[in-house]
Amino acid sequence: MAERSYDFLMPSVNFFGPGVIHKVGERAKILGMKKPVIVTDKFLETMKDGAVQQALQSLTEAGVDYVIYNGVEPNPKIRNIQEVKKLYLQSGADSIITIGGGSAHDTGKGAGIILTNGDDITKLAGIETLDNALPPLIAVNTTAGTGSELTRHAVITNEQTHLKFVVVSWRNIPLVSFNDPTLMLDVPPALTAATGMDAFDQAIEPYVSVDRNPITDAQCIQAIQLIEGSLREAVANGHNLDARTKMVEAEMLAGMAFNNANLGYVHAMAHQLGGQYDAPHGVCCALLLPYVEQYNIIACPERFAELADIMGENTAGLSTRDAAELAIKAMKQMSEDVGIPKSIKDIGAKPEDFELMAENALKDGNAFSNPRKGTKQDIIDIFQAAYDAE
Ligand SMILES: [Fe+2]
């Protein structure tokens, strides 16, 4: 066996299961939080008995004061993290609690970054660029999901340039995360599908990443099998707690896997679509996934053949290459079953933007772990294939 060495990041404390939201106050108190900024959106804030109201009740019971920022947007922008920073400083806050999906957590991380590492976050894009600890951060997760509640990734959009960039640092990992599947029972089917496809992609990309290792492989395999067995049901019947529970477990496993093995061109390219057209991240990933992985097959056909098996396809008697092709077919089928559109033209993509987006995708922090090294033209061709899809 070749010599192997790697850092392995483990998220610190993660509460899981129905009702764990009630522990938010107690844990905030243990962490010494006196006045956290609650980072969320208006919809969640006003939802009766929703995640925010339950978390606030728990904080009140624990005697922890708070102030609320409810301006989280999809594809969080620099203006959002600046707004949180301003509120944090003006209100005398000492910590951050994010409540929502990936956008809330990334907004909270972004604000934390500029509070302690310098005001211009664009200068901090890249891998392990942060010198200072963020303010204490708790993440209460309500989608399954980006995994952002336990990963070191903060994805922010520069609204001036429409460029989405990633700050990847161990300092971004929330001190505590909460995954309570009862909070996900009312997530609408389209959002369940989009976030679920993000988790699916986040289990597939680390499985073929150049940074993979046996620990991340195990996490990816289990995540993919859980998603295969529960995403369709979670979309079809949102109130199935068993399906919701399995999807949360899957998104946590995928998050832990890509926290260590990283991602690939699907995410590098999806960030361009998301930044350019303000489209939902999970949908962008799902639209690109089969076309990027078709391109990647020749780099590691045996891994794709394994993926076909993991996804439950019958590969008996097939050549490695034919089994690998079956994996791509299974990815398309999953996407179709949960109602993802077929082509990136459905989210407003325009071929005249492909060149610039390809250039930027190759600079994205996720590009470096892709198993096949592409040229700008290769990336343009993948965008085109995802555009021509019918
Ligand atoms: Fe993602």
mmCIF file with all atom_site columns, all heavy atoms in Angstrom, residues 146 198 202 263 267 281 285, ligand 1:
data_model
loop_
_atom_site.group_PDB
_atom_site.id
_atom_site.type_symbol
_atom_site.label_atom_id
_atom_site.label_alt_id
_atom_site.label_comp_id
_atom_site.label_asym_id
_atom_site.label_entity_id
_atom_site.label_seq_id
_atom_site.pdbx_PDB_ins_code
_atom_site.Cartn_x
_atom_site.Cartn_y
_atom_site.Cartn_z
_atom_site.occupancy
_atom_site.B_iso_or_equiv
_atom_site.pdbx_formal_charge
_atom_site.auth_seq_id
_atom_site.auth_comp_id
_atom_site.auth_asym_id
_atom_site.auth_atom_id
_atom_site.pdbx_PDB_model_num
ATOM   1  N  N   . THR A 1 146 ? -26.593 20.870 2.941   1.00 0.00 ? 146 THR A N   1
ATOM   2  C  CA  . THR A 1 146 ? -25.240 21.271 2.538   1.00 0.00 ? 146 THR A CA  1
ATOM   3  C  C   . THR A 1 146 ? -24.160 20.696 3.441   1.00 0.00 ? 146 THR A C   1
ATOM   4  O  O   . THR A 1 146 ? -23.016 20.613 3.044   1.00 0.00 ? 146 THR A O   1
ATOM   5  C  CB  . THR A 1 146 ? -25.089 22.796 2.615   1.00 0.00 ? 146 THR A CB  1
ATOM   6  O  OG1 . THR A 1 146 ? -25.258 23.181 3.997   1.00 0.00 ? 146 THR A OG1 1
ATOM   7  C  CG2 . THR A 1 146 ? -26.116 23.508 1.769   1.00 0.00 ? 146 THR A CG2 1
ATOM   8  N  N   . ASP A 1 198 ? -27.852 18.028 -3.349  1.00 0.00 ? 198 ASP A N   1
ATOM   9  C  CA  . ASP A 1 198 ? -26.558 18.581 -2.923  1.00 0.00 ? 198 ASP A CA  1
ATOM   10 C  C   . ASP A 1 198 ? -25.826 17.549 -2.061  1.00 0.00 ? 198 ASP A C   1
ATOM   11 O  O   . ASP A 1 198 ? -24.651 17.268 -2.274  1.00 0.00 ? 198 ASP A O   1
ATOM   12 C  CB  . ASP A 1 198 ? -26.791 19.884 -2.140  1.00 0.00 ? 198 ASP A CB  1
ATOM   13 C  CG  . ASP A 1 198 ? -25.511 20.608 -1.791  1.00 0.00 ? 198 ASP A CG  1
ATOM   14 O  OD1 . ASP A 1 198 ? -24.502 20.416 -2.505  1.00 0.00 ? 198 ASP A OD1 1
ATOM   15 O  OD2 . ASP A 1 198 ? -25.508 21.381 -0.811  1.00 0.00 ? 198 ASP A OD2 1
ATOM   16 N  N   . GLN A 1 202 ? -22.427 15.648 -2.747  1.00 0.00 ? 202 GLN A N   1
ATOM   17 C  CA  . GLN A 1 202 ? -21.343 15.790 -1.762  1.00 0.00 ? 202 GLN A CA  1
ATOM   18 C  C   . GLN A 1 202 ? -20.876 14.438 -1.218  1.00 0.00 ? 202 GLN A C   1
ATOM   19 O  O   . GLN A 1 202 ? -19.872 14.375 -0.502  1.00 0.00 ? 202 GLN A O   1
ATOM   20 C  CB  . GLN A 1 202 ? -21.788 16.713 -0.616  1.00 0.00 ? 202 GLN A CB  1
ATOM   21 C  CG  . GLN A 1 202 ? -21.868 18.157 -1.106  1.00 0.00 ? 202 GLN A CG  1
ATOM   22 C  CD  . GLN A 1 202 ? -22.505 19.133 -0.139  1.00 0.00 ? 202 GLN A CD  1
ATOM   23 O  OE1 . GLN A 1 202 ? -22.592 20.309 -0.439  1.00 0.00 ? 202 GLN A OE1 1
ATOM   24 N  NE2 . GLN A 1 202 ? -22.963 18.673 0.993   1.00 0.00 ? 202 GLN A NE2 1
ATOM   25 N  N   . LEU A 1 263 ? -14.135 18.257 -2.736  1.00 0.00 ? 263 LEU A N   1
ATOM   26 C  CA  . LEU A 1 263 ? -15.172 18.013 -3.740  1.00 0.00 ? 263 LEU A CA  1
ATOM   27 C  C   . LEU A 1 263 ? -14.542 17.934 -5.128  1.00 0.00 ? 263 LEU A C   1
ATOM   28 O  O   . LEU A 1 263 ? -13.554 17.243 -5.304  1.00 0.00 ? 263 LEU A O   1
ATOM   29 C  CB  . LEU A 1 263 ? -16.242 19.107 -3.620  1.00 0.00 ? 263 LEU A CB  1
ATOM   30 C  CG  . LEU A 1 263 ? -17.037 19.035 -2.291  1.00 0.00 ? 263 LEU A CG  1
ATOM   31 C  CD1 . LEU A 1 263 ? -17.721 20.352 -1.965  1.00 0.00 ? 263 LEU A CD1 1
ATOM   32 C  CD2 . LEU A 1 263 ? -18.058 17.907 -2.339  1.00 0.00 ? 263 LEU A CD2 1
ATOM   33 N  N   . HIS A 1 267 ? -18.924 21.062 -7.905  1.00 0.00 ? 267 HIS A N   1
ATOM   34 C  CA  . HIS A 1 267 ? -19.070 22.229 -7.025  1.00 0.00 ? 267 HIS A CA  1
ATOM   35 C  C   . HIS A 1 267 ? -18.354 23.456 -7.581  1.00 0.00 ? 267 HIS A C   1
ATOM   36 O  O   . HIS A 1 267 ? -18.864 24.577 -7.470  1.00 0.00 ? 267 HIS A O   1
ATOM   37 C  CB  . HIS A 1 267 ? -18.603 21.903 -5.607  1.00 0.00 ? 267 HIS A CB  1
ATOM   38 C  CG  . HIS A 1 267 ? -19.713 21.381 -4.761  1.00 0.00 ? 267 HIS A CG  1
ATOM   39 N  ND1 . HIS A 1 267 ? -20.225 20.124 -4.912  1.00 0.00 ? 267 HIS A ND1 1
ATOM   40 C  CD2 . HIS A 1 267 ? -20.472 21.978 -3.789  1.00 0.00 ? 267 HIS A CD2 1
ATOM   41 C  CE1 . HIS A 1 267 ? -21.233 19.950 -4.072  1.00 0.00 ? 267 HIS A CE1 1
ATOM   42 N  NE2 . HIS A 1 267 ? -21.405 21.062 -3.380  1.00 0.00 ? 267 HIS A NE2 1
ATOM   43 N  N   . HIS A 1 281 ? -28.328 26.311 -5.016  1.00 0.00 ? 281 HIS A N   1
ATOM   44 C  CA  . HIS A 1 281 ? -27.077 25.550 -5.097  1.00 0.00 ? 281 HIS A CA  1
ATOM   45 C  C   . HIS A 1 281 ? -27.301 24.074 -5.435  1.00 0.00 ? 281 HIS A C   1
ATOM   46 O  O   . HIS A 1 281 ? -26.622 23.506 -6.304  1.00 0.00 ? 281 HIS A O   1
ATOM   47 C  CB  . HIS A 1 281 ? -26.322 25.698 -3.767  1.00 0.00 ? 281 HIS A CB  1
ATOM   48 C  CG  . HIS A 1 281 ? -25.156 24.796 -3.650  1.00 0.00 ? 281 HIS A CG  1
ATOM   49 N  ND1 . HIS A 1 281 ? -24.028 24.943 -4.429  1.00 0.00 ? 281 HIS A ND1 1
ATOM   50 C  CD2 . HIS A 1 281 ? -24.930 23.711 -2.859  1.00 0.00 ? 281 HIS A CD2 1
ATOM   51 C  CE1 . HIS A 1 281 ? -23.160 23.994 -4.111  1.00 0.00 ? 281 HIS A CE1 1
ATOM   52 N  NE2 . HIS A 1 281 ? -23.680 23.237 -3.162  1.00 0.00 ? 281 HIS A NE2 1
ATOM   53 N  N   . CYS A 1 285 ? -25.892 21.915 -8.683  1.00 0.00 ? 285 CYS A N   1
ATOM   54 C  CA  . CYS A 1 285 ? -25.076 20.698 -8.550  1.00 0.00 ? 285 CYS A CA  1
ATOM   55 C  C   . CYS A 1 285 ? -25.716 19.538 -9.306  1.00 0.00 ? 285 CYS A C   1
ATOM   56 O  O   . CYS A 1 285 ? -25.048 18.824 -10.053 1.00 0.00 ? 285 CYS A O   1
ATOM   57 C  CB  . CYS A 1 285 ? -24.923 20.310 -7.079  1.00 0.00 ? 285 CYS A CB  1
ATOM   58 S  SG  . CYS A 1 285 ? -23.828 21.383 -6.155  1.00 0.00 ? 285 CYS A SG  1
HETATM 59 FE FE  . FE  B 2 .   ? -22.846 21.629 -2.016  1.00 0.00 ? 1   FE  B FE  1
#
